Amino acid sequence: MTADSSRTLTGNHWGAGISETRNGKLVAVHPHPNDPNPSEINRNIASSLNGRARVLRPAIRRGWLEGSGTRGRDSFVEVSWDDALDLVAAELTRVRGSYGNTAIYAGSYGWSSAGRFHHAQSQLKRFLNGQGGFVRSEGNYSYNAALVLMPHIVGPFRTHVAQATRWPVVAKHSDLVVMFGGMATRNTQVSDGGVARHRMMDNLKACAEAGVKFVNFSPLRTDAADEIGAEWVPPKPGTDTAVMMGLAHTLLAEGLQDTQFLDRYTVGFYKLAAYLKGETDGVVKSADWAASLSGVPAERVTSLAREMAAGRTMITCAAALQRADYGEQPLWMTVTLAAMLGQIGLPGGGYTVGYGVNANIGNIERPFRWGTLPQGKNPVSDFIPVAMISDMLLNPGSEYQYNGEARVFPDIRMIWWAGGNPFHHHQDLRRLHQAFQRPETVIVNELNWTATARHADIVLPVAAPQERTDFGGGKSDNALVPMPANAAPPGEARIEFDIYADLARRMGHADQFTDGLDRDGWLRRIWAQTQEAALASGEQLPDWEAFINGDVVELRDPSPQQVFMADFRNDPDANPLPTPSGRIEIFSEQIASLGLDDCYGHPTWFAPRDYSAGTHPLFLLSGQPGTRLHSQLDNGDYSLSRKVQGREPVLIHPEDASARGIVDGDVVELFNDRGRCLAGARVTPHILKGCIFLWTGAWYDPDYDAPQERDRHGNPNALTHDLRTSSLTQSPASHSTTVDLRRFEGEVPELTVHDQPKFEEVSRSVIQNKLRGKDDQ
Ligand SMILES: Nc1nc2c(c(=O)[nH]1)N[C@H]1C(S)=C(S)[C@@H](COP(=O)(O)OP(=O)(O)OC[C@H]3O[C@@H](n4cnc5c(=O)[nH]c(N)nc54)[C@H](O)[C@@H]3O)O[C@H]1N2
Ligand SMILES: Nc1nc2c(c(=O)[nH]1)N[C@H]1C(S)=C(S)[C@@H](COP(=O)(O)OP(=O)(O)OC[C@H]3O[C@@H](n4cnc5c(=O)[nH]c(N)nc54)[C@H](O)[C@@H]3O)O[C@H]1N2
Ligand SMILES: [Mo]
């Protein structure tokens, strides 16, 4: 290292790292030496933060200034911070005055960045709560069906995930782990808020060494690590419920179910049993029936049911299975199958929904709650289930169902998004593009010129985590990570706290937002809260100065031998579940009483909708990318290194490829009735024939002049449908899409989204007129 180079700690959702800065510029993020399996996503950081796509100055959509144009397509006008903040303040005042705060949507879903203080959504929400509030969103894109369904049948999902049986317990006690949706170790690079040590691979290896057998039910072989030597049994996507029913029917037919457990700990099994036997609909849910739907051999269903009953079996279900049409059903069947085996609450038995969804689940938990920026109280009570964003914008005032409630969509006139990328994460992006034309004002705070920023009227350039001082603490981690600023924000980008403090001053509420503190004052306050919580749980944390200049602080796991639902099993009367019956609800009166046609009172087989329509032959899966977190740092070196001719890789089975004259490395065009996108062919026998797999998160790059506004880059949400899992939970269902693909024959277009948009100049009077509330037409 030279004299002008320095190394400091940094923290991200994918772990702690060591930032190397040269002449004030971030040049690399290196692995933390204590991390046994650090994430390579770090390799993206320096190249992306220094990349061509950074938003460098506040910018206004020209069409918005001139009362014309189309969001997403228009050019931008760069302005001073004073003009930008004056415009934001004027718009907020106008929209509140004309329509009230229920016309502002700041649900602002997204992962933003690690850091307890600079959390983008908390900052935005604290600011808007001081301005009369906003319509929020409820739930997430990750496991929304679980969030809403599980309380009806077993209890709150988040609490249950925190109580997941620890992996060392699985290694010691389980004979067999049956994984629906596999357990992709690439996904365990990440945990929301951070992860100090990536332990998952070591824990899996320990299981393999202890002789635990794994079965991987997944269309993608690599959803199980090579190290665990799993048996690969690929079902057709969306048919796991049928496979689980085939297993359940076999248990029942052979008398292998644990009747004592079912009697004592569950309600309503007899109703499901009647359904499995075909007494209610004339269809026996046998192994043969399951085989005909899923492609899994009937003999394997039968033999596996026997193996599961013969030893200690853990059943796991990936979140992906519920991010699909009728995604409630595989969850409910997972619980039911485990209840039939009667091992819930025993070490190494039962079920887990959530293993493999992040780095820490089943590995560690935080011993106390970290300090946080208080958001204040939202005076507006209205919300939408998070995935109903297009539905809401396109259908103001119309009714919808949600968890047994009849609700009405608000009439939204202003959107403010900070820390999320809906033009990557939402389904059917062409529909979202239409929906985003509806509001009068869209504000986006972004690091980069993503498609979301390009759909804004006012774009505010913000600092990245490496450009501000903070501390990290994963929601399910046992470590606190110092995050001193490593470099200055580029151009005129600013730290979001300072932006809101300025705005609050303009709106006459400065103190309400800042509480009289500057950034440093807030960090010290939140650290002091964290120290207090630590003391109450018997831990002494260093003072702020020592901490922020020091190394990661690791704490103990409060329950390293955790066994999920052991208390309930030991004494179900003293420790009832928080369900209506206090037991596991294999039949739910509550759900049945809603009379829904897409979710009944017990687990039910429904065929995925696109598949039933039969218009396109290939299933499109779109799981999480190994090379980044969703769309974050997509223009970083590591993410780019895996692209094919600059396109996102799509995995294709050799027979599907050769039937279409496609070879590895070709640019291909994926298409269906909703949209199309380009991608780069990766031909591999590890994907089930009939399925293709396109990673999520390539920055959406629509060519508005091409057929169906073809995405040049490879974002699966150009093709996914925007239907919900069911009217019970109203969750996103991205995994139930069918498509076809062909070789792309034309000249491969240049990407535009990793660069700046087109800027133009307007006369000062245009901005002044907008500030006075007049359109210059
Ligand atoms: N087809 C399909 N779609 C999916 C999924 C799928 O499986 N298939 N998965 C879904 C899931 S599970 C999820 S969680 C979502 C993820 O969707 P998102 O969470 O929206 O995705 P991210 O790429 O993490 O977006 C975060 C954005 O915030 C910005 N950002 C980062 N830090 C800051 C900050 O400090 N301030 C501000 N203002 N901005 C910041 C980043 O630049 C980035 O654009 O995607 C969903 N979409
Ligand atoms: N590196 C990295 N890690 C991440 C993230 C990231 O962006 N990057 N995102 C994080 C987030 S926000 C989340 S929510 C979790 C998501 O965690 P998951 O939802 O578990 O992950 P996915 O990658 O969507 O899906 C896992 C696998 O399920 C399989 N699958 C899909 N549909 C079906 C089906 O119908 N049946 C069966 N049997 N299998 C199916 C696919 O092969 C896929 O690889 O990952 C987290 N981890
Ligand atoms: Mo997620």
Side-chain angles (χ1 to χ4, degrees):
M1 252 194 295
T2 54
D4 53 12
S5 137
S6 66
R7 286 176 181 240
T8 45
L9 265 267
T10 185
N12 294 287
H13 294 302
W14 49 92
I18 311 284
S19 284
E20 184 183 348
T21 313
R22 230 177 275 151
N23 300 321
K25 189 175 165 185
L26 182 72
V27 292
V29 176
H30 304 283
H32 192 284
N34 292 349
D35 191 338
N37 191 14
S39 167
E40 291 202 75
I41 296 175
N42 280 332
R43 281 169 50 198
N44 288 320
I45 300 177
S47 41
S48 179
L49 296 191
N50 298 319
R52 296 191 309 271
R54 281 300 289 265
V55 185
L56 297 172
R57 272 169 291 280
I60 314 292
R61 182 171 67 86
R62 181 173 174 183
W64 183 70
L65 286 171
E66 295 175 344
S68 63
T70 307
R71 291 198 176 94
R73 301 184 67 155
D74 289 354
S75 56
F76 284 84
V77 178
E78 292 186 314
V79 297
S80 67
W81 269 107
D82 265 344
D83 279 349
L85 295 186
D86 285 346
L87 280 169
V88 172
E91 280 301 293
L92 258 180
T93 307
R94 184 185 67 77
V95 171
R96 286 168 56 194
S98 308
Y99 312 104
N101 284 75
T102 52
I104 303 172
Y105 179 72
S108 199
Y109 180 79
W111 267 59
S112 54
S113 293
R116 301 301 301 167
F117 172 55
H118 292 294
H119 181 240
Q121 281 83 3
S122 303
Q123 295 274 349
L124 173 64
K125 290 173 183 181
R126 178 176 172 83
F127 170 71
L128 284 176
N129 283 337
Q131 303 293 326
F134 58 91
V135 175
R136 64 193 167 85
S137 60
E138 206 171 271
N140 60 30
Y141 280 73
S142 309
Y143 38 72
N144 201 67
L147 285 175
V148 184
L149 174 76
M150 292 309 223
H152 291 283
I153 64 171
V154 274
F157 182 64
R158 285 185 212 272
T159 316
H160 279 188
V161 163
Q163 295 167 349
T165 299
R166 298 293 186 264
W167 276 102
V169 177
V170 176
K172 188 159 172 213
H173 296 277
S174 304
D175 299 307
L176 176 64
V177 178
V178 178
M179 310 181 291
F180 290 95
M183 201 164 311
T185 42
R186 61 177 181 276
N187 288 350
T188 64
Q189 293 178 81
V190 168
S191 192
D192 47 336
V195 42
R197 291 173 191 254
H198 291 82
R199 298 170 163 86
M200 187 66 179
M201 189 51 96
D202 287 345
N203 279 329
L204 286 175
K205 281 187 200 157
C207 289
E209 273 159 30
V212 182
K213 210 179 150 233
F214 288 84
V215 178
N216 174 25
F217 279 106
S218 174
L220 189 61
R221 179 178 212 137
T222 52
D223 281 346
D226 288 344
E227 286 80 351
I228 58 175
E231 173 192 353
W232 185 36
V233 190
K236 281 186 197 160
T239 66
D240 302 81
T241 302
V243 175
M244 294 184 210
M245 286 179 172
L247 292 165
H249 183 269
T250 307
L251 293 177
L252 195 59
E254 302 191 3
L256 295 172
Q257 82 276 23
D258 184 334
T259 309
Q260 272 181 341
F261 185 90
L262 290 168
D263 286 347
R264 177 125 203 245
Y265 298 96
T266 74
V267 293
F269 176 69
Y270 68 99
K271 293 210 185 186
L272 180 76
Y275 174 75
L276 292 174
K277 289 190 235 158
E279 289 166 9
T280 48
D281 63 355
V283 179
V284 182
K285 313 301 177 302
S286 63
D288 284 327
W289 168 83
S292 70
L293 291 167
S294 66
V296 173
E299 311 75 66
R300 189 59 191 120
V301 175
T302 329
S303 60
L304 183 63
R306 292 174 192 145
E307 285 163 38
M308 289 168 81
R312 188 61 57 85
T313 300
M314 174 65 81
I315 305 170
T316 75
C317 178
L321 268 64
Q322 51 88 70
R323 219 178 300 117
D325 290 1
Y326 315 105
E328 297 77 16
Q329 306 308 321
L331 296 171
W332 211 342
M333 264 320 285
T334 298
V335 174
T336 300
L337 199 50
M340 290 177 76
L341 294 177
Q343 300 176 8
I344 291 175
L346 293 180
Y351 78 92
T352 312
V353 175
Y355 277 158
V357 168
N358 83 26
N360 296 328
I361 296 171
N363 287 320
I364 208 98
E365 255 304 311
R366 63 179 169 179
F368 52 88
R369 291 176 77 86
W370 324 129
T372 190
L373 175 70
Q375 295 182 8
K377 198 170 161 10
N378 188 348
V380 174
S381 59
D382 204 1
F383 69 88
I384 55 161
V386 69
M388 300 194 94
I389 172 84
S390 294
D391 298 326
M392 167 184 74
L393 294 172
L394 293 169
N395 306 292
S398 71
E399 270 200 29
Y400 66 97
Q401 292 287 315
Y402 172 57
N403 203 12
E405 264 182 75
R407 301 181 54 84
V408 174
F409 286 123
D411 187 357
I412 295 302
R413 305 298 174 125
M414 174 186 263
I415 293 180
W416 195 334
W417 219 291
N421 189 359
F423 280 89
H424 124 70
H425 73 224
H426 192 60
Q427 284 58 67
D428 196 349
L429 291 176
R430 291 177 70 211
R431 183 168 188 248
L432 186 68
H433 169 75
Q434 295 302 330
F436 256 64
Q437 305 306 324
R438 292 292 185 95
E440 293 169 18
T441 318
V442 178
I443 308 174
V444 169
N445 302 7
E446 248 301 344
L447 281 81
N448 289 306
W449 280 105
T450 58
T452 300
R454 287 167 207 249
H455 277 82
D457 304 320
I458 306 176
V459 183
L460 302 177
V462 302
Q466 283 69 31
E467 298 157 359
R468 58 196 187 204
T469 296
D470 206 339
F471 71 98
K475 281 201 193 126
S476 56
D477 199 18
N478 66 336
L480 292 160
V481 181
M483 299 169 61
N486 309 146
E492 293 174 25
R494 296 184 70 189
I495 289 173
E496 279 159 298
F497 175 84
D498 296 350
I499 299 175
Y500 297 120
D502 263 10
L503 265 173
R505 208 168 299 127
R506 274 177 168 73
M507 315 278 299
H509 290 281
D511 276 0
Q512 195 170 11
F513 178 73
T514 62
D515 206 11
L517 296 178
D518 61 7
R519 280 187 253 134
D520 190 55
W522 268 106
L523 282 166
R524 285 167 194 274
R525 180 187 278 183
I526 297 173
W527 182 251
Q529 277 171 10
T530 310
Q531 281 179 305
E532 236 173 81
L535 262 190
S537 86
E539 302 266 2
Q540 181 96 36
L541 292 179
D543 68 28
W544 174 249
E545 300 294 342
F547 167 71
I548 197 70
N549 295 307
D551 203 347
V552 176
V553 174
E554 288 191 53
L555 303 154
R556 72 205 142 72
D557 180 349
S559 43
Q561 299 301 318
Q562 178 78 38
V563 173
F564 180 46
M565 284 209 204
D567 292 350
F568 170 63
R569 184 182 186 101
N570 290 340
D571 190 342
D573 301 318
N575 308 303
L577 299 179
T579 57
S581 61
R583 308 211 214 147
I584 296 169
E585 303 222 343
I586 295 174
F587 184 87
S588 161
E589 291 288 352
Q590 214 170 41
I591 295 175
S593 72
L594 302 176
L596 306 174
D597 61 6
D598 48 11
C599 188
Y600 305 150
H602 61 69
T604 310
W605 162 250
F606 295 97
R609 288 165 289 211
D610 259 21
Y611 180 55
S612 310
T615 31
H616 295 288
L618 300 172
F619 287 100
L620 172 68
L621 297 175
S622 50
Q624 311 296 17
T627 58
R628 54 182 182 259
L629 174 66
H630 317 128
S631 72
Q632 298 197 33
L633 313 176
D634 177 42
N635 62 339
D637 284 349
Y638 180 46
S639 167
L640 291 179
S641 73
R642 298 293 171 90
K643 304 235 178 196
V644 176
Q645 299 194 43
R647 317 296 123 167
E648 193 60 23
V650 59
L651 310 182
I652 310 171
H653 189 272
E655 289 178 36
D656 291 326
S658 68
R660 292 166 178 78
I662 293 166
V663 299
D664 191 77
D666 277 350
V667 171
V668 291
E669 183 179 48
L670 281 56
F671 60 95
N672 64 16
D673 298 338
R674 289 177 289 267
R676 58 178 87 184
C677 72
L678 300 183
R682 280 282 167 250
V683 179
T684 166
H686 294 320
I687 182 113
L688 174 69
K689 182 171 174 295
C691 296
I692 60 171
F693 197 118
L694 179 60
W695 307 107
T696 59
W699 291 357
Y700 183 53
D701 195 0
D703 178 352
Y704 291 103
D705 298 323
Q708 293 179 302
E709 301 161 359
R710 178 177 52 226
D711 166 32
R712 303 174 180 94
H713 194 181
N715 188 307
N717 288 319
L719 301 144
T720 49
H721 70 56
D722 193 12
L723 302 172
R724 308 278 75 82
T725 54
S726 80
S727 51
L728 179 74
T729 74
Q730 297 287 12
S731 309
S734 44
H735 280 308
S736 300
T737 291
T738 62
V739 299
D740 203 346
L741 85 167
R742 56 194 161 218
R743 263 190 68 163
F744 183 66
E745 300 293 352
E747 194 181 320
V748 179
E750 293 280 322
L751 285 194
T752 66
V753 71
H754 286 164
D755 278 293
Q756 301 280 306
K758 189 166 168 223
F759 294 115
E760 290 182 299
E761 305 221 350
V762 294
S763 81
R764 174 105 204 111
S765 65
V766 178
I767 293 167
Q768 280 165 339
N769 280 345
K770 192 78 192 176
L771 279 168
R772 278 189 254 113
K774 280 200 302 188
D775 282 341
D776 187 56
Q777 283 168 356

